[in-house]
Amino acid sequence: MTETPKRVRVHHLREAKEAGRRLTMLTAYDAVTARIFDEAGVDMLLVGDSIGNTMHGHTTTLPVTVDDMIPAARAVAGAARRAFVVVDLPFGSYESGPQQALETAVRVMKTTGADAVKFEGGKRSAAQIRAVTAAGIPVVGHLGYTPQSENLLGGPRVQGRGDTAAEALSEDALAVAEAGAVAVVLEMVPAPVSARITEIVAIPTIGIGAGAECDGQVLVWVDMAGMGDWSPRFAKRFGEVGAALRAAATAYVDEVRDGTFPDAEHSFLQ
């Protein structure tokens, strides 16, 4: 793309890939952060089921429900003015087949104002992708380490290592693209494997712990902004917002307790 679109649409994603312009994606779960990221120029906002880990205190994404996702997605979509808003379909809301996936996707789109849905799986999810796409709903795929399958995968482990696994992952990516997905997230995949997948699929690849050759990158925003004491190895901390917020809260507590807040400037005197 030679110009930044006023509103990112499906065709802009493929145009970006063709032009070699890297796409940017961050998670968002509320209107406040969504507006900030949108104004910063982030191309895609992902209302991820990572809300379970980051906002709800769960240890995995598995407890997250569609009812959890809808208010968050509505808030993000309502705040975004430019970004392409993608909503995760949580565990248990699409696995039983195309009809369940379609019903969940329709519900999410009708109640949130989002632009697309995302769900995990390659060949096993191809029929679901076709059904949802046929209904006019854009789908983003998700391959590699898929958090909803972490019990089967043995935890957060790199996927696609070795020739056999790399070939299977490539086949899954082709299946997702051929089924009609508009993009695919590659999570915790060796960089050479991601580079090969990026080369062979026509849709954009969005990497997270998948090397620099993907067509775009995504991070969970609390990792990107340094909100906690720990973040994954692949997640660069671009700021220390958590420390700054803690310092502000501490200063507030101190001033209230010692009586210096509120002062005359922050009071109505008449």
Side-chain angles (χ1 to χ4, degrees), residues 19-35:
R21 186 181 76 82
R22 302 299 173 94
L23 292 161
T24 58
M25 176 188 271
L26 284 173
T27 63
Y29 315 107
D30 59 74
V32 175
T33 51
R35 187 173 296 112

Side-chain angles (χ1 to χ4, degrees), residues 117-137:
V117 298
K118 180 174 80 67
F119 48 89
E120 299 176 358
K123 293 177 182 178
R124 67 178 174 86
S125 296
Q128 285 93 318
I129 294 172
R130 287 192 187 94
V132 174
T133 300
I137 301 172

Side-chain angles (χ1 to χ4, degrees), residues 37-96:
F37 300 154
D38 189 66
E39 292 173 352
V42 176
D43 298 311
M44 307 169 75
L45 294 176
L46 173 61
V47 187
D49 59 359
S50 51
I51 192 173
N53 311 70
T54 58
M55 301 292 148
H56 293 175
H58 301 312
T59 57
T60 73
T61 65
L62 298 181
V64 176
T65 67
V66 177
D67 288 338
D68 292 327
M69 297 299 300
I70 285 176
R74 187 184 295 123
V76 172
R81 295 293 176 266
R82 175 184 171 274
F84 187 83
V85 177
V86 183
V87 182
D88 270 343
L89 300 192
F91 178 69
S93 68
Y94 63 92
E95 287 88 348
S96 68

Side-chain angles (χ1 to χ4, degrees), residues 100-115:
Q100 186 196 27
L102 178 58
E103 290 173 357
T104 306
V106 167
R107 181 186 173 199
V108 167
M109 297 295 284
K110 283 178 70 68
T111 57
T112 68
D115 299 301

Side-chain angles (χ1 to χ4, degrees), residues 250-262:
T250 301
Y252 164 75
V253 169
D254 290 344
E255 290 197 17
V256 169
R257 287 176 175 169
D258 67 20
T260 57
F261 176 83

Side-chain angles (χ1 to χ4, degrees), residues 166-183:
E167 181 61 27
L169 196 57
S170 296
E171 291 175 359
D172 275 336
L174 287 169
V176 164
E178 290 169 1
V182 299

